Amino acid sequence: MTVPEATPLVQLLTPEGERVHHPDYDVELTDEEYRSFYRDLVLVRRIDVEATALQRQGELGIWAALLGQEAAQVGSGRALRPQDFAFPTYREHGVAWCREVDPLHLLSLFRGVSNGGWDPQDKRFNLYTIVIVSQTLHATGYAMGITKDGAVGDPDTGEAVIAYFGDGASSQGDVNEAFVWASVYNSPIVFFCQNNQWGISTPTATQSRIPLYKRAEGFGFPGVRVDGNDVLASYAVTRAALDSARTGQGPTLIEAFTYRMGAHTTSDDPTRYRLASELEAWKLKDPLERMKSFLYKQQIVDSAFFEKVEADADELAARIRKGCLEMPDPDPVTMFDYVYDEMTPLLAEERAAFATYHAGFAGGGH
Amino acid sequence: MTVPEATPLVQLLTPEGERVHHPDYDVELTDEEYRSFYRDLVLVRRIDVEATALQRQGELGIWAALLGQEAAQVGSGRALRPQDFAFPTYREHGVAWCREVDPLHLLSLFRGVSNGGWDPQDKRFNLYTIVIVSQTLHATGYAMGITKDGAVGDPDTGEAVIAYFGDGASSQGDVNEAFVWASVYNSPIVFFCQNNQWGISTPTATQSRIPLYKRAEGFGFPGVRVDGNDVLASYAVTRAALDSARTGQGPTLIEAFTYRMGAHTTSDDPTRYRLASELEAWKLKDPLERMKSFLYKQQIVDSAFFEKVEADADELAARIRKGCLEMPDPDPVTMFDYVYDEMTPLLAEERAAFATYHAGFAGGGH
Amino acid sequence: MAQLTMAKALNEGLRAAMDRDDKVVLMGEDIGRLGGVFRVTDGLQKDFGEERVFDTPLAESGIVGTAIGLAMRGYRPVCEIQFDGFVFPAYDQIVSQLAKMHARSRGLVKMPVVIRIPFGGGIGAVEHHSESPEAYFAHTPGLKVVACSNPVDAYFMVQQAIASDDPIVFLEPKRRYWEKAEVDTTGTPDPLWGARVVRRGTDLTLIAYGPMVKTCLDAASAAEEDGRDLEVLDLRSLSPLDFPTVFESVRRTRRAVVVHEASSSVGLGAEIAARLSEQLYYEMEAPVLRVTGYNTPYPPSRMEEEFLPDLDRVLHVVDTALRY
Amino acid sequence: MAQLTMAKALNEGLRAAMDRDDKVVLMGEDIGRLGGVFRVTDGLQKDFGEERVFDTPLAESGIVGTAIGLAMRGYRPVCEIQFDGFVFPAYDQIVSQLAKMHARSRGLVKMPVVIRIPFGGGIGAVEHHSESPEAYFAHTPGLKVVACSNPVDAYFMVQQAIASDDPIVFLEPKRRYWEKAEVDTTGTPDPLWGARVVRRGTDLTLIAYGPMVKTCLDAASAAEEDGRDLEVLDLRSLSPLDFPTVFESVRRTRRAVVVHEASSSVGLGAEIAARLSEQLYYEMEAPVLRVTGYNTPYPPSRMEEEFLPDLDRVLHVVDTALRY
Ligand SMILES: Cc1ncc(C[n+]2csc(CCOP(=O)(O)OP(=O)(O)O)c2C)c(N)n1
Ligand SMILES: Cc1ncc(C[n+]2csc(CCOP(=O)(O)OP(=O)(O)O)c2C)c(N)n1
Ligand SMILES: [Mg+2]
Ligand SMILES: [Mg+2]
């Protein structure tokens, strides 16, 4: 084995909110943009906190919190252009926000009302995919289609795809097949791996003995590790990778080094497998705090700004809560309606019998 | 993308049979050993030629020739110690030979008489696996078992596993999962990829845009490319990798750069997809010829030796032919006998009905 | 009208579908220059180019997974799986993604993907090259499954499958690839989802699909000499099953035998038997019997003749059914 | 005698098997420190060490594929698949390798591998967490498939499965994990392959397994109030099926209804119906009817109560069967 090199980490903001520079990646944003990045981080966290609370109150079956991963998601999500297409896992609430998916759609999934319900083509944001890394192949196929359409090459109008997955997910065969495909067809795709250090109770070391961004080398395309708690770096690195993809330079793997500050889902109990001290250490790198410090240091905010953001967050939380509580249960007969484009006689028969049977109950039958 | 480096290739014999040296890999064999390497190459090729002929004559359903890959197989096969375990694909006739599997067993598979029929545990050579790369995970599990048994560490008695697969096979999810497992558990395994330039009609460029040995880097273990038409280099590199595995230093990927000189199988027609000139170029690198030149140059052979080897080959071919022609068809009722360790009532019932039904025919029924 | 083998008829059908709609793309292992191991795509890459007919890396999950993405992008991918036994690495993508995408998105995402699989035995092949995996797919809601049995159907059904907006597993009986028939490409095809009576008879209905249709027709001819008049039904669609046609036939003959190569246990024959005995409870005069491959793995090829249902085994069971 | 939940009974069964044979190893995602998402392996890593109870990388094909290799090395691996819907990436290794190794090697290579899968719905979960994949395995020669329905069986059956030299898919009804019963660990278990009459009755046999056994028992109790005396049969083994016991019961009751969560089409109920109507043709007084999940993907959980067979739906179909 070769001697382990120090792992390079692209960072544009230190945990203290100090702006640093990087030779390959940088961003110059307007003050307004900086503020809106922060606002997104806050709102996204608020969605998450509210959803977690609703789950605790029995309103959702389960919730997969993004707590701690806001910067990786908002940074990468905002790097997407309107024409780009994103393929999420089940935890990309921050990216969903950037794609303007109503948070209530996310809640409807975890409430058991639907499997998402937004229009993936319209939002250019696929439905959540729960089977680990299946979506990375879908994303690759979509990217192959972009190439076939000739929609790659132009730095402005060229299209690109981003596929999200986790550190645990990196072990699955399918994502490695996606790497093969994307590199062989030189597809316009960015693989965005949020290494939040854990796959449920399994540490990243059980998935790989070297940093995950290096996986790409073995398939012949570049990999880069970015500080996933740094929204500016996440934005810069993703934007560069997307631009590289859209201009025909093929795939990139981004490993966003971050931390799952909460439980895997609300069903999980992380005290069984990880030390409280680990969480404490990562709290010092909180993605919101560092952006807040940066804004202060830049002197581009005042207390009115923060109050307004908090007010927006409160309003959003209230809307989510209300929307969740008012969300109607689906009409069960609809379960027959979307199985096929062309319904089968068997389903039509079952649907009719179902309707009759339930009508019987309604009429006091049985 | 980085500028492509020149691809290093471990070679100990030039195509002209010139002995060259390599800083990391070398072998010093006795004259007797050199001769016996050559003898193996010749015998293995003869098995292959005879089987191909038998297929043409309708005695085998199909045959997957190893023509051109003798050095990669004999070199790696002879590097195995008795305690090591090999997991082949469907083309490892040369490795089978080194593991003392009777070639008639191989023929029985391609004749449709059995699925191999040798005892994998006894030969420490698994049955042929036809579903691409399934065996690489079996091999990895076996290697994990070696570690669990504490049978790793000692340079003499330590055990190791070798898993064979092809260039086409490198794209499958399973082999990449095997890489994950083997590296995470630091298992005593050598992945031996024969890059014979083709997966049926598909060139290696459709499977990877960089040399295959580099895949290992992405998983955190070493990869090396060896001249697969050089039996000494194949031997040296495999031996080193096996020793590294058996002493607890984990997995290695070897890419044996070679060429499938024949068709994919006897059912294939390579004229549809590759140029005759390519084959001609590779003929100059024929693994047997270069070993023969080497023996001559070393002055350790005389014509009597070559005559003897030819005579042995003739005898072997005759034995194979005879054995094949005399091979009895299996008794079809045995198809029920080995489905389970503990036969199910359904199968017992089917077996009985089958026997009665066929007895009826024998007695002139129906 | 031309005499075409089934392989050639499929080739012509694919060509017609590609001519009609330039979103149709073919993908799979060795389908380009080689034309596929059975030559079903012969010449298509040459004529339609490498963007529309392309060799993939060797990984079936990758094939189906990227086909799903291509479908989301507006393409109509037709995937070739080289042999039946090699579809299983793609099983997860097929049952959990391809089959469920339409329902998951409440119809917002359509999956016009066809997965062509040469299936079944009888060609003297080695392990994994003679499987009959249809039950694994027919049990899966969201998928449709069809099997052609002759060149005419092959020509039309493959086009209909490609035209459908539902994901379809398209099974091709590989041992019938080289059998010929007149194919009138100007004819009007039967609906893709309909079963078809391919021989009228009065005494018993043989229900088959794919490779076993010919076996059943041969059996019916042989039975005729013994004075038994068998009807033969080609299911054509395995999911959905066309029960109205099945019932109509069995109502007339009052007896049915299902024939397939796949093992009996929890196979298609079980479903047909269950439905027939439920729906035609008072109308049948014998239980539905099955003639199938045994409940063993497909054996080495020197035993396959005994494993596979043949004319004699079919008639043997027909005799039993007629004795009720 | 202790009151144990099914999850705890499985845990104790695993512990006993590991105590008995040090070749037994447990492997899967999050089964170590976490004890599995359902805590079935709780405490076992602590007590038996990381070599015998280990977390794997996140890849199901890798889990089953390496288990096959471990079995070749003399181990007896017990794999946990985290949820039913996640077994499909391993499907190829299960049906083409695990199931066929014994036949391929003519018995020279044994595959004492158990694949534990929490299965079925009813727990309000998201997509892929409520599947009933048993038919996909029961149709596969070379595999055996069992399902426990109560803590006592869970305790013994998991040990019997581990002791078997055949590969076994071991299905655990996840919504029954927390139901309790007295488990006498010193008792003598019934044979693993046998069905069991869990309630005697005279009018009709309800045939079920796994989660639906309790539903059927509840239905039988409710029916009693209406004067109908239902027998309930717990299949326990889905492959092989214990037909002698099924036939014995239905010969007495002359009517049968099969109940399972999986979709009906080409499901276990079809096989049982087919065999019953064949073998008990002259003895039954009604066709075998089925109460199953619909032929749709498992719906979002707010609709699962309507998707799943429940007491009312069972009784509704029982009424129909009794009207024949
Ligand atoms: C194929 C498959 N296997 C298992 C699971 C169960 N599961 C859900 S999330 C998860 C861990 C994923 O870890 P990671 O990829 O790191 O993503 P994270 O949850 O940390 O965002 C597991 C094992 C699944 N969803 N799909
Ligand atoms: C899963 C699977 N898919 C497809 C096949 C059909 N097939 C047999 S060999 C082969 C090509 C293999 O190429 P490579 O790995 O380079 O090995 P080689 O035949 O060149 O030795 C293919 C596609 C298979 N056996 N298994
Ligand atoms: Mg993670
Ligand atoms: Mg090759």
Side-chain angles (χ1 to χ4, degrees):
Chain A
M1 286 298 305
T2 46
V3 184
E5 316 143 35
T7 300
L9 181 78
V10 179
Q11 198 178 63
L12 298 181
L13 275 185
T14 68
E16 296 74 33
E18 218 61 74
R19 187 75 164 78
V20 289
H21 292 273
H22 190 279
D24 300 326
Y25 302 97
D26 217 343
V27 279
E28 231 22 272
L29 299 174
T30 64
D31 293 352
E32 187 45 42
E33 283 170 321
Y34 282 130
R35 283 191 291 262
S36 82
F37 268 74
Y38 176 75
R39 181 173 181 274
D40 279 351
L41 293 173
V42 171
L43 294 189
V44 158
R45 180 168 288 184
R46 185 63 72 90
I47 295 168
D48 195 63
V49 166
E50 195 60 34
T52 301
L54 283 162
Q55 195 283 334
R56 294 268 171 259
Q57 292 153 23
E59 295 297 332
L60 302 182
I62 194 173
W63 180 253
L66 64 37
L67 196 71
Q69 300 175 221
E70 297 87 351
Q73 294 195 14
V74 168
S76 60
R78 290 196 53 156
L80 289 164
R81 300 228 184 136
Q83 72 266 31
D84 296 338
F85 208 112
F87 287 79
T89 71
Y90 41 81
R91 202 189 289 284
E92 266 68 74
H93 321 316
V95 187
W97 175 254
C98 298
R99 297 315 269 176
E100 294 177 7
V101 171
D102 187 335
L104 282 171
H105 278 310
L106 309 179
L107 268 67
S108 83
L109 186 166
F110 291 98
R111 189 176 166 89
V113 163
S114 78
N115 287 311
W118 64 90
D119 184 342
Q121 304 281 6
D122 177 45
K123 298 294 177 192
R124 305 190 75 70
F125 183 72
N126 194 32
L127 291 176
Y128 277 7
T129 300
I130 289 173
V131 180
I132 296 286
V133 303
S134 296
Q135 76 282 0
T136 59
L137 279 170
H138 311 163
T140 304
Y142 193 96
M144 287 164 65
I146 292 177
T147 306
K148 284 190 197 304
D149 289 346
V152 81
D154 187 287
D156 288 323
T157 62
E159 299 182 38
V161 169
I162 191 165
Y164 289 88
F165 63 103
D167 46 297
S170 67
S171 295
Q172 284 280 10
D174 269 10
V175 68
N176 291 290
E177 292 187 13
F179 293 162
V180 169
W181 249 257
S183 77
V184 163
Y185 295 109
N186 203 38
S187 303
I189 183 167
V190 175
F191 294 105
F192 195 93
C193 176
Q194 286 169 81
N195 177 357
N196 63 7
Q197 314 303 324
W198 294 94
I200 310 188
S201 73
T202 308
T204 308
T206 300
Q207 317 287 352
S208 181
R209 67 186 196 187
I210 57 167
L212 284 171
Y213 77 92
K214 294 199 169 192
R215 179 72 57 83
E217 280 176 34
F219 294 85
F221 61 93
V224 51
R225 180 183 272 189
V226 65
D227 185 338
N229 284 17
D230 172 350
V231 71
L232 299 185
S234 296
Y235 173 75
V237 168
T238 310
R239 196 181 56 175
L242 286 168
D243 284 344
S244 160
R246 83 175 78 256
T247 54
Q249 291 164 83
T252 303
L253 168 63
I254 298 173
E255 178 192 3
F257 204 73
T258 179
Y259 193 71
R260 194 195 77 205
M261 292 174 75
H264 170 70
T265 64
T266 46
S267 304
D268 181 38
D269 174 10
T271 64
R272 293 180 73 100
Y273 55 80
R274 73 183 189 190
L275 296 172
S277 56
E278 186 182 286
L279 177 58
E280 290 313 311
W282 276 92
K283 275 191 184 157
L284 303 175
K285 304 185 197 171
D286 187 294
L288 271 68
E289 290 310 315
R290 80 169 76 174
M291 193 61 190
K292 193 172 192 175
S293 308
F294 169 70
L295 294 180
Y296 273 127
K297 287 185 183 150
Q298 292 284 100
Q299 299 187 309
I300 57 176
V301 287
D302 53 18
S303 61
F305 167 74
F306 289 111
E307 278 158 27
K308 174 75 171 76
V309 171
E310 279 310 305
D312 289 353
D314 290 345
E315 194 187 314
L316 177 62
R319 181 172 80 77
I320 288 173
R321 167 163 294 268
K322 184 155 178 294
C324 179
L325 298 178
E326 289 173 355
M327 203 178 284
D329 273 356
D331 178 353
V333 81
T334 61
M335 81 176 123
F336 300 99
D337 293 337
Y338 302 108
V339 181
Y340 296 101
D341 176 68
E342 188 186 346
M343 193 185 254
T344 63
L346 176 64
L347 276 185
E349 200 180 282
E350 288 190 350
R351 189 187 199 283
F354 181 91
T356 315
Y357 174 77
H358 283 276
F361 272 94
H366 202 78
Chain B
M1 286 297 307
T2 46
V3 183
E5 316 143 36
T7 300
L9 181 78
V10 179
Q11 198 178 65
L12 299 181
L13 274 185
T14 68
E16 296 72 33
E18 217 61 72
R19 186 77 164 75
V20 289
H21 292 275
H22 189 279
D24 300 326
Y25 300 97
D26 216 344
V27 278
E28 234 17 274
L29 299 174
T30 64
D31 293 351
E32 189 44 43
E33 284 170 320
Y34 282 130
R35 282 189 293 259
S36 80
F37 268 74
Y38 176 74
R39 183 174 179 273
D40 279 352
L41 293 174
V42 171
L43 294 188
V44 158
R45 179 168 289 184
R46 186 62 71 88
I47 294 168
D48 196 62
V49 166
E50 195 59 36
T52 302
L54 283 162
Q55 196 283 334
R56 294 267 171 260
Q57 291 152 24
E59 295 297 332
L60 303 181
I62 194 171
W63 179 254
L66 63 37
L67 196 70
Q69 300 175 224
E70 297 87 352
Q73 294 195 13
V74 168
S76 61
R78 290 197 52 157
L80 290 164
R81 298 226 186 140
Q83 72 267 29
D84 295 338
F85 208 114
F87 287 79
T89 70
Y90 41 81
R91 202 189 288 286
E92 268 66 76
H93 320 316
V95 187
W97 174 255
C98 298
R99 297 314 269 177
E100 293 176 8
V101 171
D102 187 334
L104 282 172
H105 279 309
L106 309 179
L107 267 67
S108 82
L109 186 165
F110 290 98
R111 189 176 167 87
V113 163
S114 79
N115 287 311
W118 65 89
D119 183 342
Q121 304 282 6
D122 177 44
K123 298 294 177 192
R124 305 191 75 70
F125 183 73
N126 194 33
L127 291 176
Y128 276 8
T129 299
I130 289 174
V131 180
I132 296 286
V133 305
S134 295
Q135 77 282 0
T136 58
L137 279 170
H138 311 162
T140 303
Y142 194 96
M144 289 165 65
I146 291 176
T147 306
K148 285 190 195 304
D149 289 345
V152 82
D154 187 288
D156 288 323
T157 61
E159 299 182 37
V161 169
I162 191 165
Y164 288 88
F165 63 102
D167 46 296
S170 66
S171 295
Q172 284 280 8
D174 269 10
V175 68
N176 292 290
E177 292 186 13
F179 293 162
V180 169
W181 249 256
S183 77
V184 163
Y185 295 110
N186 204 39
S187 302
I189 184 167
V190 176
F191 295 104
F192 194 92
C193 175
Q194 286 168 81
N195 177 357
N196 63 7
Q197 314 303 325
W198 295 94
I200 309 187
S201 73
T202 308
T204 308
T206 301
Q207 317 288 350
S208 181
R209 68 185 195 187
I210 58 166
L212 285 171
Y213 76 93
K214 293 198 171 194
R215 180 71 57 82
E217 281 176 34
F219 294 86
F221 60 94
V224 52
R225 179 184 272 189
V226 64
D227 184 338
N229 284 16
D230 172 350
V231 70
L232 299 184
S234 297
Y235 174 76
V237 168
T238 310
R239 196 181 55 175
L242 286 168
D243 284 345
S244 161
R246 83 175 77 256
T247 54
Q249 291 164 81
T252 303
L253 169 63
I254 298 173
E255 178 191 3
F257 204 73
T258 179
Y259 193 70
R260 194 195 79 206
M261 290 174 76
H264 170 69
T265 65
T266 46
S267 304
D268 181 38
D269 174 9
T271 64
R272 293 179 73 101
Y273 55 81
R274 73 184 187 189
L275 295 173
S277 57
E278 186 182 285
L279 177 57
E280 291 312 311
W282 276 92
K283 275 191 184 158
L284 303 176
K285 303 184 198 173
D286 186 293
L288 271 68
E289 289 310 315
R290 80 168 76 174
M291 193 61 188
K292 194 172 191 176
S293 308
F294 169 69
L295 295 180
Y296 272 126
K297 285 183 184 151
Q298 292 285 99
Q299 299 187 311
I300 57 175
V301 287
D302 53 18
S303 61
F305 166 74
F306 289 110
E307 277 159 28
K308 175 75 172 72
V309 170
E310 279 310 304
D312 289 353
D314 289 346
E315 195 188 312
L316 177 62
R319 182 172 79 76
I320 288 173
R321 168 163 292 268
K322 185 158 178 291
C324 179
L325 299 178
E326 287 172 356
M327 203 177 283
D329 274 357
D331 178 354
V333 81
T334 60
M335 81 177 123
F336 300 99
D337 293 337
Y338 304 108
V339 180
Y340 296 101
D341 176 68
E342 188 187 346
M343 193 185 253
T344 61
L346 176 63
L347 276 185
E349 200 180 283
E350 288 190 350
R351 189 187 199 282
F354 181 91
T356 314
Y357 174 77
H358 283 275
F361 272 95
H366 206 75
Chain C
M1 290 249 280
Q3 280 272 344
L4 298 182
T5 62
M6 179 184 288
K8 183 65 181 164
L10 288 163
N11 179 277
E12 292 292 337
L14 290 170
R15 177 181 295 279
M18 295 190 76
D19 272 333
R20 192 172 308 122
D21 183 348
D22 64 11
K23 290 296 184 190
V24 176
V25 293
L26 314 189
M27 56 197 290
E29 295 157 11
D30 307 296
I31 66 161
R33 259 200 271 183
L34 183 64
V37 293
F38 291 107
R39 309 292 185 264
V40 169
T41 56
D42 193 25
L44 297 178
Q45 184 180 67
K46 190 160 154 284
D47 294 345
F48 293 98
E50 297 197 7
E51 284 299 320
R52 295 193 60 200
V53 180
F54 55 99
D55 286 337
T56 62
L58 203 178
E60 290 74 11
S61 190
I63 293 172
V64 175
T66 55
I68 290 170
L70 280 161
M72 292 185 68
R73 180 75 190 179
Y75 285 88
R76 306 183 79 82
V78 182
C79 305
E80 174 172 305
I81 300 294
Q82 204 160 72
F83 281 89
D84 33 58
F86 308 139
V87 70
F88 302 118
Y91 199 65
D92 178 54
Q93 285 285 352
I94 296 174
V95 303
S96 291
Q97 302 302 326
L98 185 62
K100 293 189 172 179
M101 202 66 92
H102 195 276
R104 183 181 298 152
S105 69
R106 298 203 190 172
L108 290 170
V109 180
K110 305 217 181 293
M111 281 290 126
V113 176
V114 174
I115 301 185
R116 294 183 37 242
I117 311 179
F119 87 121
I123 63 160
V126 292
E127 211 188 351
H128 311 291
H129 289 71
S130 307
E131 307 287 320
S132 295
E134 60 271 21
Y136 297 133
F137 300 112
H139 182 56
T140 306
L143 289 182
K144 292 179 173 176
V145 184
V146 302
C148 55
S149 69
N150 62 74
V152 178
D153 273 357
Y155 176 75
F156 289 112
M157 286 171 73
V158 78
Q159 294 179 64
Q160 292 168 311
I162 292 170
S164 164
D165 273 341
D166 284 314
I168 299 181
V169 173
F170 190 91
L171 299 167
E172 304 170 1
K174 66 171 88 75
R175 68 160 132 164
R176 307 293 180 211
Y177 270 142
W178 305 281
E179 291 176 9
K180 285 191 174 176
E182 292 281 323
V183 179
D184 176 3
T185 57
T186 63
T188 309
D190 286 339
L192 182 56
W193 313 120
R196 184 195 297 132
V197 174
V198 289
R199 179 192 167 110
R200 300 281 293 193
T202 53
D203 297 345
L204 179 148
T205 303
L206 287 172
I207 302 173
Y209 53 88
M212 287 290 106
V213 174
K214 180 171 184 308
T215 305
C216 288
L217 284 169
D218 292 347
S221 299
E224 200 175 1
E225 295 166 24
D226 296 350
R228 286 166 301 178
D229 187 14
L230 307 185
E231 175 145 327
V232 180
L233 194 96
D234 181 354
L235 286 172
R236 300 172 79 250
S237 172
L238 310 186
S239 176
L241 283 161
D242 177 10
F243 278 112
T245 303
V246 174
F247 294 162
E248 189 282 325
S249 168
V250 180
R251 277 207 177 90
R252 283 188 284 102
T253 63
R254 306 176 89 83
R255 287 181 170 82
V257 169
V258 191
V259 184
H260 57 59
E261 294 188 11
S263 299
S264 64
S265 199
V266 200
L268 261 290
E271 180 62 29
I272 294 164
R275 289 278 290 210
L276 273 172
S277 39
E278 179 188 339
Q279 301 287 318
L280 272 57
Y281 186 66
Y282 294 114
E283 295 162 80
M284 292 187 66
E285 289 179 9
V288 179
L289 300 183
R290 294 178 273 176
V291 190
T292 69
Y294 296 106
N295 289 284
T296 69
Y298 199 92
S301 63
R302 295 256 163 174
M303 301 190 258
E304 74 182 337
E305 271 183 39
E306 280 82 12
F307 176 88
L308 292 168
D310 61 4
L311 188 151
D312 288 318
R313 272 174 67 199
V314 171
L315 292 180
H316 183 73
V317 175
V318 164
D319 282 350
T320 310
L322 289 173
R323 273 198 298 271
Y324 274 80
Chain D
M1 288 253 277
Q3 279 271 345
L4 298 182
T5 62
M6 180 183 290
K8 184 64 180 163
L10 287 163
N11 179 277
E12 292 292 339
L14 290 170
R15 178 181 295 278
M18 295 190 76
D19 273 333
R20 193 172 307 122
D21 183 348
D22 64 12
K23 290 296 184 188
V24 176
V25 293
L26 313 189
M27 56 198 291
E29 295 157 11
D30 307 296
I31 66 161
R33 260 202 269 182
L34 184 63
V37 292
F38 292 106
R39 307 293 184 264
V40 169
T41 56
D42 192 26
L44 297 177
Q45 184 179 69
K46 189 159 155 285
D47 294 346
F48 292 97
E50 297 198 7
E51 284 299 320
R52 294 192 61 198
V53 181
F54 55 99
D55 286 337
T56 62
L58 203 177
E60 289 75 10
S61 190
I63 293 172
V64 175
T66 56
I68 290 170
L70 280 162
M72 291 185 68
R73 180 76 191 180
Y75 286 87
R76 307 183 79 83
V78 182
C79 306
E80 175 171 306
I81 300 293
Q82 203 160 73
F83 281 89
D84 34 57
F86 308 140
V87 70
F88 302 118
Y91 199 65
D92 178 53
Q93 285 286 352
I94 296 174
V95 302
S96 291
Q97 302 300 326
L98 185 63
K100 293 190 172 179
M101 202 66 93
H102 195 276
R104 183 181 299 151
S105 69
R106 298 203 191 171
L108 290 170
V109 180
K110 306 217 180 294
M111 281 290 127
V113 176
V114 174
I115 301 184
R116 294 182 38 241
I117 311 179
F119 86 121
I123 63 160
V126 293
E127 211 188 350
H128 311 289
H129 290 71
S130 307
E131 307 288 319
S132 295
E134 59 272 21
Y136 298 132
F137 299 113
H139 182 56
T140 306
L143 289 181
K144 292 179 173 175
V145 185
V146 302
C148 56
S149 69
N150 62 77
V152 178
D153 273 357
Y155 175 75
F156 289 112
M157 286 172 73
V158 77
Q159 294 179 64
Q160 293 168 310
I162 292 170
S164 163
D165 274 341
D166 285 314
I168 299 180
V169 174
F170 190 92
L171 299 166
E172 304 170 2
K174 66 172 86 78
R175 69 161 132 162
R176 308 294 179 209
Y177 270 141
W178 305 280
E179 291 176 9
K180 284 190 174 176
E182 292 281 324
V183 180
D184 175 3
T185 58
T186 64
T188 310
D190 286 340
L192 182 56
W193 313 120
R196 185 195 295 130
V197 173
V198 290
R199 178 191 165 111
R200 300 282 294 193
T202 53
D203 297 345
L204 179 149
T205 304
L206 287 172
I207 302 174
Y209 53 87
M212 287 290 106
V213 174
K214 180 170 185 308
T215 306
C216 288
L217 285 169
D218 292 348
S221 299
E224 200 174 359
E225 296 167 24
D226 296 351
R228 285 166 300 178
D229 187 12
L230 306 186
E231 175 145 327
V232 179
L233 193 95
D234 181 354
L235 286 172
R236 300 173 77 250
S237 173
L238 310 185
S239 177
L241 284 160
D242 176 10
F243 279 112
T245 303
V246 175
F247 294 162
E248 189 282 325
S249 168
V250 180
R251 277 209 177 89
R252 283 188 283 101
T253 64
R254 307 176 89 81
R255 286 182 170 82
V257 169
V258 191
V259 184
H260 56 61
E261 294 189 10
S263 300
S264 64
S265 199
V266 200
L268 262 288
E271 180 62 30
I272 294 163
R275 289 277 291 206
L276 273 173
S277 40
E278 180 189 338
Q279 300 286 317
L280 272 55
Y281 186 64
Y282 294 115
E283 295 161 82
M284 293 187 66
E285 289 178 8
V288 179
L289 301 183
R290 295 177 272 176
V291 190
T292 70
Y294 296 106
N295 289 286
T296 69
Y298 200 92
S301 64
R302 295 258 163 174
M303 299 190 257
E304 73 182 338
E305 271 183 41
E306 280 82 11
F307 175 88
L308 292 169
D310 62 4
L311 189 150
D312 289 317
R313 271 174 66 200
V314 171
L315 292 180
H316 182 73
V317 175
V318 164
D319 283 350
T320 310
L322 290 173
R323 273 198 298 272
Y324 273 81

